[in-house]
Amino acid sequence: MRRPMLEGGRFIIECESRLFPESLKHVRKPPKRLFIVGNPHALESGLAVIGARHATPYGKGCAARFSRKASERGVVIVSGGARGCDAEAHRAAVESRSKTVVFLGGGCDRLYPAEHRALFQDVIDSGGAVVSEHEWGTEPRPYMFRERNRLIAGLAKAVLIVEAGMPSGTFSTADEALESGKPVFVVPGAITSAYSRGSNRLLYDGAIPIIDDETFEDQMTAVFGSLQDERGPAGDGVSVSNCGEVVQALLAEPLSSEELCARFASHGTPDRVRGWIMGETVKAEARGLIARQPDGRWASVVSR
């Protein structure tokens, strides 16, 4: 069965070409050429947004939130197209009608993960690019993904890690950025969450914490200078902070239904509290404010 390929302009850019990004000439083992589907002019120095493949709603929400804030102000989002946080970062840029760059591990005609073909096509259609240092038909191999991380860090002016466990492939991207003197930003997570142990360790080791929108915007200004757009008025989305006690509790850390019942035991009898918790979680999930993690616990989803 013939694999469907991405549609769009196809380019091979040699290292000597004026279209070849200057920043990629200085990475470890600079690529001799780049294979590109889409817009070669999208390969601008931008913000790398990366995180766990097996991401929680919190990690995915942070990836989307900060990617959107950066892309709406003209910063190109760079990532690896993987499941989880990477995909959410690209998707947020596409939804903001902004350029984003996907660096693949294998060739551009051997998409991985294959189920992201539609997302990659959206990236191209919105003026972005899908890029590889490997020939078109190269099958992806595990070592190629670590190698492509040097290109993600190389094209970016800064790296934002929104969620990482231990161990984590995001560390190699962070290491590449730090070795070249680029800032690494990290979104903290709950100390009780296995999904945030890597993130919190990076913060302990000296990464720059992104604790809210204001700190993110400050760092964007420090790295990229004055951004293209001024912050607009508040959107019509629902703020998590105004959505009840249960969602407020989940802002701090993921909790199971049993843990939520224990947290709100003072609200009434066990049966009454259990019923109330069930009703609140159903409503909050329907509104897109919380979601179940793979381990069954509830977690807040960062609002837009």
Side-chain angles (χ1 to χ4, degrees):
M1 181 177 177
R2 187 172 181 271
R3 301 187 187 189
M5 294 193 298
L6 295 171
E7 299 176 2
R10 298 165 75 85
F11 304 88
I12 301 175
I13 299 179
E14 303 290 337
C15 185
E16 297 79 15
S17 169
R18 61 182 179 82
L19 289 176
F20 194 96
E22 183 67 26
S23 59
L24 294 185
K25 296 179 181 179
H26 306 289
V27 300
R28 176 180 56 82
K29 291 171 55 180
K32 295 180 180 180
R33 61 187 61 86
L34 296 173
F35 298 82
I36 300 171
V37 183
N39 177 15
H41 297 285
L43 275 70
E44 305 172 10
S45 295
L47 175 69
V49 180
I50 58 175
R53 287 174 297 169
H54 303 291
T56 68
Y58 174 75
K60 291 179 181 179
C62 287
R65 182 188 191 92
F66 294 121
S67 294
R68 187 176 300 107
K69 287 184 174 297
S71 61
E72 286 176 348
R73 291 161 172 77
V75 176
V76 173
I77 300 299
V78 184
S79 196
R83 301 179 181 95
C85 295
D86 289 17
E88 293 302 316
H90 293 303
R91 192 169 287 116
V94 169
E95 291 173 353
S96 298
R97 301 177 184 176
S98 182
K99 292 180 289 188
T100 180
V101 176
V102 180
F103 277 104
L104 296 179
C108 292
D109 290 341
R110 294 294 183 266
L111 304 181
Y112 187 88
E115 67 264 26
H116 284 178
R117 182 194 177 280
L119 173 60
F120 297 157
Q121 189 62 58
D122 287 342
V123 166
I124 294 167
D125 293 343
S126 63
V130 175
V131 188
S132 176
E133 65 179 319
H134 301 290
E135 294 280 349
W136 301 111
T138 304
E139 294 287 349
R141 298 288 184 264
Y143 76 90
M144 295 177 181
F145 293 95
R146 180 181 176 87
E147 285 298 294
R148 68 93 191 268
N149 288 347
R150 81 190 195 285
L151 304 181
I152 294 174
L155 187 62
K157 281 189 175 182
V159 173
L160 171 65
I161 297 173
V162 293
E163 187 172 59
M166 290 281 284
S168 174
T170 60
F171 287 0
S172 66
T173 311
D175 289 343
E176 297 281 358
L178 290 170
E179 287 177 12
S180 59
K182 297 177 180 180
V184 173
F185 310 134
V186 177
V187 177
I191 63 173
T192 54
S193 172
Y195 299 96
S196 294
R197 286 176 184 166
S199 303
N200 292 338
R201 173 56 59 177
L202 286 168
L203 290 170
Y204 178 79
D205 290 339
I208 301 169
I210 300 298
I211 60 171
D212 53 23
D213 293 349
E214 184 177 359
T215 56
F216 178 73
E217 289 163 0
D218 287 346
Q219 294 301 328
M220 287 296 94
T221 300
V223 173
F224 295 98
S226 297
L227 302 175
Q228 289 185 4
D229 300 325
E230 296 298 325
R231 194 187 321 180
D236 295 330
V238 180
S239 170
V240 174
S241 62
N242 297 323
C243 290
E245 296 173 273
V246 170
V247 178
Q248 287 282 351
L250 294 174
L251 281 171
E253 60 179 333
L255 296 169
S256 67
S257 295
E258 291 74 19
E259 289 170 328
L260 284 168
C261 288
R263 181 71 59 89
F264 293 102
S266 62
H267 281 45
T269 64
D271 287 343
R272 183 183 295 273
V273 171
R274 190 175 300 109
W276 177 71
I277 291 293
M278 183 179 298
E280 290 295 297
T281 53
V282 167
K283 288 189 295 184
E285 184 181 29
R287 298 172 71 187
L289 298 174
I290 66 173
R292 278 193 186 276
Q293 293 190 155
D295 61 7
R297 293 183 299 170
W298 291 104
S300 68
V301 177
V302 178
S303 65
R304 296 187 178 186

